Amino acid sequence: MSSDSLFADRAAVLATMHRKEQVMAPILETELGVRILLPENFDSDRFGTFTRDIKRPGDQQQTARIKAESAMELTGHSLAVANEGSFGPHPLMPYISCNRELAILVDRENDLEIVGQALSTATNYSHQQVTTVAEARSFADKIGFPQHGLVAMADPDARSQTEIFKGIDTEDRLIEVVNSMLAKFDRVHLETDMRAMYNPTRMQVIAQATQDLVKVAKQCCPQCQRPGFAVIRRRQGLPCSWCGLPTELTLADIYQCQKCNFSREVLFPDDRETADPGRCFYCNP
Ligand SMILES: [Zn+2]
Ligand SMILES: [Zn+2]
């Protein structure tokens, strides 16, 4: 069994209505041999929106899985792919924004779930309150408008957005929306539209997550040959290059098969065998 024989020539439903097939379909079709189909009438917005008007049903991976399952439900196919993105402060460098994309493949026929991911600081994720059209234009310039779209709303914290304008991607539309809102409110909250088709930068990170998904799908269990032999945990303890004491850096990746539970530890996954003394609690407390 390999990823080729499991997936080749099968239809895989891609759970999207935001044109993610533009980047995901070529990678999945070339690398896994699947035929990508788009479900008709698939409303991915009901699984949550970045503009917070609809809450996500679970964490990022659960939400991606729910999307894939609902696409299978809708179409009757047994193989589906979905993506879910999140934006926020970088986990290690909280002063920079980052974009984490997950790509998930769910195969009901073989009871298999494979996850790929990408973490990128290349994101225009941002927001600003503006009180004039000039301020709105200057924010738009900063975020790569009009190739990247904008969202405008009155109050970003309101539970239910009474007035929200998404997918603003022309100068005329931006001016029209900002003017009409400033006639009613003191200020307008502008934010980047993070939906894939309005955000080519995000689209690239979705492509990276899809590449990672394909890479994991091609890693087969050494014992039972099942695809998706993936890292389930990273073990800390890379020794300091001066004193040899364990640091918080990764010493080993632990892989495990979902089917037969075979597991393997791979030492030095980050291509280094010792840690910089700057990361050592003893040498650099
Ligand atoms: Zn196995
Ligand atoms: Zn040390």
Side-chain angles (χ1 to χ4, degrees):
M1 187 163 48
S2 72
S3 57
D4 292 350
S5 59
L6 271 195
F7 307 128
D9 296 323
R10 284 175 67 195
V13 201
L14 180 56
T16 183
M17 59 171 201
H18 294 158
R19 293 186 222 135
K20 294 172 183 173
E21 70 277 9
Q22 288 174 1
V23 295
M24 296 181 79
I27 298 170
L28 295 164
E29 290 185 337
T30 310
E31 299 293 333
L32 297 182
V34 295
R35 282 175 292 115
I36 293 294
L37 305 177
L38 296 178
E40 274 173 54
N41 307 317
F42 184 73
D43 177 14
S44 53
D45 280 353
R46 67 196 171 90
F47 306 109
T49 58
F50 294 121
T51 35
R52 302 171 294 283
D53 38 347
I54 304 169
K55 234 178 119 27
R56 236 172 21 191
D59 69 20
Q60 197 173 354
Q61 189 163 332
Q62 288 163 344
T63 304
R65 183 185 301 129
I66 292 169
K67 278 186 191 171
E69 280 167 354
S70 108
M72 288 190 278
E73 222 64 73
L74 206 59
T75 58
H77 289 285
S78 60
L79 186 61
V81 182
N83 155 259
E84 180 73 12
S86 71
F87 301 88
H90 191 282
L92 302 176
M93 299 165 278
Y95 43 91
I96 342 185
S97 292
C98 88
N99 171 205
R100 179 173 184 248
E101 295 293 337
L102 281 191
I104 195 169
L105 175 147
V106 183
D107 181 353
R108 262 189 192 162
E109 202 175 299
N110 297 293
D111 190 24
L112 186 67
E113 179 177 300
I114 297 171
V115 179
Q117 59 171 314
L119 188 69
S120 175
T121 53
T123 175
N124 69 340
Y125 178 66
S126 183
H127 63 85
Q128 192 172 315
Q129 307 268 357
V130 300
T131 55
T132 62
V133 168
E135 280 174 20
R137 277 185 149 149
S138 122
F139 178 65
D141 282 344
K142 265 193 293 190
I143 63 95
F145 185 84
Q147 291 76 20
H148 295 76
L150 281 171
V151 178
M153 64 186 93
D155 179 0
D157 300 319
R159 276 264 160 132
S160 57
Q161 296 291 345
T162 44
E163 293 214 65
I164 178 162
F165 300 90
K166 301 184 189 182
I168 301 169
D169 63 355
T170 66
E171 181 91 19
D172 288 352
R173 179 71 181 146
L174 177 64
I175 293 168
E176 180 196 333
V177 166
V178 170
N179 273 329
S180 81
M181 291 186 86
L182 285 176
K184 279 181 271 182
F185 309 101
D186 294 344
R187 60 191 65 220
V188 181
H189 175 89
L190 287 180
E191 61 185 42
T192 43
D193 196 327
M194 301 316 291
R195 289 175 299 166
M197 77 282 212
Y198 288 105
N199 203 302
T201 301
R202 179 176 172 220
M203 206 62 114
Q204 288 314 306
V205 187
I206 295 173
Q208 289 167 26
T210 311
Q211 295 282 11
D212 189 55
L213 170 72
V214 161
K215 188 189 107 191
V216 176
K218 290 183 171 192
Q219 290 165 185
C220 294
C221 170
Q223 185 163 280
C224 75
Q225 307 311 314
R226 190 179 171 83
F229 191 61
V231 176
I232 55 148
R233 203 159 54 78
R234 307 198 87 190
R235 189 150 72 82
Q236 298 180 342
L238 195 68
C240 167
S241 65
W242 282 358
C243 72
L245 285 176
T247 67
E248 282 187 322
L249 297 186
T250 302
L251 173 67
D253 275 347
I254 321 287
Y255 288 74
Q256 192 174 41
C257 176
Q258 293 172 35
K259 182 80 173 178
C260 74
N261 287 329
F262 176 81
S263 109
R264 169 173 287 175
E265 196 173 278
V266 176
L267 283 172
F268 315 125
D270 297 326
D271 287 328
R272 56 183 173 197
E273 301 193 5
T274 56
D276 187 282
R279 307 296 298 266
C280 175
F281 291 121
Y282 180 73
C283 299
N284 186 27

